[in-house]
Amino acid sequence: MSQFRGPLAIAAVSLTVPLIATVTQSSPSAPSASSATPAASPKPAAPAAPATSAAPSKPSAKPGPTKAPSAIPAVQHYAAASGPGWKPQRSTRVVVAPDNSRALADEGKLLAQELKRGYSAAGSGRAGDIELALKPGGAPESYTLTVRDGRVRITGADEAGVFYGTRTVKQALAADGRLSEGVVRDKPAKPQRGVMLDTARKHFSADWIEDTVREMGDLKLNQLGLHFSDDQGFRIASDSHPEVVSQQHLTKAEVRRIVKLAESRHITVIPEIDSPGHLGAVMDAHPELQLRDAQGVPARGAVDIANPDAARIVDDLLSEYAGLFPGQYMHLGGDEYQALTKRNPEASYPGLAREAVRKYGPNAKIQDLATGWLNDRAATLRPHGKSLKAWNDGLHAGGVVKADQDREVEYWTGKEIGAREPQEYLSEGRKLVNANDEYLYYVLGEPNTFTYPTGRRIYESWTPLVLRGTTPVPARYADQILGGRLAIWCDLSNAQTQEQVARGIHLPMRALAQKTWDSGKPALDWEGFKALAGRTG
């Protein structure tokens, strides 16, 4: 794909010479594939273990240079110790603790393949080995990495924590070829760290998405949003409504493959069917559902939420994809409903106004009908055990109908009519994810006032508290801000190729990973961080 894509591979070398970490780059003319995991096989079989006649190599007794492991995101705490440190030997194995052999098999086999070394399930470690074990009781996704006595030991509070410890080892070996003696204690500042991909306006191949998943895993990002339905396309196969699916789309087999790979990297894939706006592709097949104003003029992308057939089709699709995507979350959308962009919605759309009054009482307005629409879609998904998200402009101020309190808000803008400040949502006790369009919107073609985000600006100026514009909300709300997301929107879909998108998001993804893992000021300056990004992949 592009030279920026895919995780680093640590190249195998002859066993007669010391191991040197090297970087491999994918060909610009073909989809990149991690040497860790072929695209068609997200959970590779373990490589053959080294011959038993090879004696474990003894590490040098000389103290080595001491430094925290080089990784993006940077480790939060490192306690140095005196000793030679560690680097892979020809006898090195990845060894899983006996009582964790099943739980950590994926993590162990992946690292063993990346290092081109042996794997041992339910074994006991020896000098030169990397040992993996679960140690419940710590913070979610946390891990401890200990380099001592010629071996590396990674313990995690859960499987994700162990996986993240292996990512630190992988990056440090790629950057430095070794690990210093000492103890790393690491955990994320924010529980949601991710990327959102608009596959509706621009079809992205399954291989490209899988490359992105591998890249995200190495950066300890844990959520991938798929916005696959919009006015320009509907990009995943459907059994309930095949008539709405675009010619270019992902098959369900491809989606299952992506989801399986993501799960092996501890990434949740979050599907989004945006409604009641941005349903143009659905209405291409069902024009009778189109919202029209008092003069009969159609509202782009907007479905007539007074028409019960519209609710039926959307609920069919939501229920279908709830089964295809087994993760915790689904995204309801809710943004930019055209009826609510008018100065006087009730005058422009009297049919919606009448339905609002009929359904919710004499004081109800169209915004109440739109709020009730999303509440009803949420009710459809609750039996599937889903937690629900919506864009901030899908939750309206005032009104007689209130948005469900448990819905997470993805805050992206404050430019809409009746825009609400982030603090309004926070003061209501709502939890927010930061998708600030000032910093985190990668919009193809840079339409309107958008400009491509830079890694430097995210790294130096943005934190999860900066939800709108450039001003942070008070720090007392930090716990309600669950994390951040880099959003790739394809408004002008032909403005960039898939390979150009990969290059464009390379440094912004890394900056986001750093600032959501540790919201404080980074130790490295930008030039140092950029150089590290070049060494770690």
PDB file of all heavy atoms in Angstrom, residues 170 190 192 335 381:
ATOM      1  N   LYS A 170       7.763  -4.658  21.050  1.00  0.00           N
ATOM      2  CA  LYS A 170       7.957  -4.644  19.598  1.00  0.00           C
ATOM      3  C   LYS A 170       8.516  -3.304  19.123  1.00  0.00           C
ATOM      4  O   LYS A 170       9.478  -3.252  18.346  1.00  0.00           O
ATOM      5  CB  LYS A 170       6.633  -4.945  18.908  1.00  0.00           C
ATOM      6  CG  LYS A 170       6.703  -4.907  17.395  1.00  0.00           C
ATOM      7  CD  LYS A 170       5.322  -5.096  16.786  1.00  0.00           C
ATOM      8  CE  LYS A 170       5.379  -4.953  15.273  1.00  0.00           C
ATOM      9  NZ  LYS A 170       4.047  -5.044  14.665  1.00  0.00           N
ATOM     10  N   LYS A 190      -7.218   7.420  28.948  1.00  0.00           N
ATOM     11  CA  LYS A 190      -8.595   7.418  28.471  1.00  0.00           C
ATOM     12  C   LYS A 190      -8.993   6.029  27.971  1.00  0.00           C
ATOM     13  O   LYS A 190      -8.208   5.361  27.301  1.00  0.00           O
ATOM     14  CB  LYS A 190      -8.769   8.437  27.335  1.00  0.00           C
ATOM     15  CG  LYS A 190      -8.530   9.884  27.757  1.00  0.00           C
ATOM     16  CD  LYS A 190      -9.535  10.328  28.824  1.00  0.00           C
ATOM     17  CE  LYS A 190      -9.305  11.762  29.250  1.00  0.00           C
ATOM     18  NZ  LYS A 190     -10.256  12.164  30.325  1.00  0.00           N
ATOM     19  N   GLN A 192     -11.298   5.245  25.684  1.00  0.00           N
ATOM     20  CA  GLN A 192     -11.682   5.174  24.273  1.00  0.00           C
ATOM     21  C   GLN A 192     -10.686   5.967  23.441  1.00  0.00           C
ATOM     22  O   GLN A 192     -10.552   7.195  23.601  1.00  0.00           O
ATOM     23  CB  GLN A 192     -13.109   5.706  24.071  1.00  0.00           C
ATOM     24  CG  GLN A 192     -14.166   4.873  24.786  1.00  0.00           C
ATOM     25  CD  GLN A 192     -15.577   5.237  24.387  1.00  0.00           C
ATOM     26  OE1 GLN A 192     -15.855   5.601  23.249  1.00  0.00           O
ATOM     27  NE2 GLN A 192     -16.502   5.135  25.342  1.00  0.00           N
ATOM     28  N   ASP A 335     -26.946  13.558  13.477  1.00  0.00           N
ATOM     29  CA  ASP A 335     -26.473  14.901  13.145  1.00  0.00           C
ATOM     30  C   ASP A 335     -27.139  15.452  11.885  1.00  0.00           C
ATOM     31  O   ASP A 335     -27.622  14.717  11.029  1.00  0.00           O
ATOM     32  CB  ASP A 335     -24.958  14.888  12.944  1.00  0.00           C
ATOM     33  CG  ASP A 335     -24.542  14.003  11.770  1.00  0.00           C
ATOM     34  OD1 ASP A 335     -24.963  12.833  11.754  1.00  0.00           O
ATOM     35  OD2 ASP A 335     -23.825  14.483  10.871  1.00  0.00           O
ATOM     36  N   LEU A 381     -32.283  -1.319  19.659  1.00  0.00           N
ATOM     37  CA  LEU A 381     -30.978  -1.946  19.852  1.00  0.00           C
ATOM     38  C   LEU A 381     -30.741  -2.453  21.267  1.00  0.00           C
ATOM     39  O   LEU A 381     -29.878  -3.314  21.479  1.00  0.00           O
ATOM     40  CB  LEU A 381     -29.875  -0.953  19.476  1.00  0.00           C
ATOM     41  CG  LEU A 381     -29.718  -0.709  17.973  1.00  0.00           C
ATOM     42  CD1 LEU A 381     -28.819   0.478  17.710  1.00  0.00           C
ATOM     43  CD2 LEU A 381     -29.175  -1.956  17.285  1.00  0.00           C
TER      44      LEU A 381
END
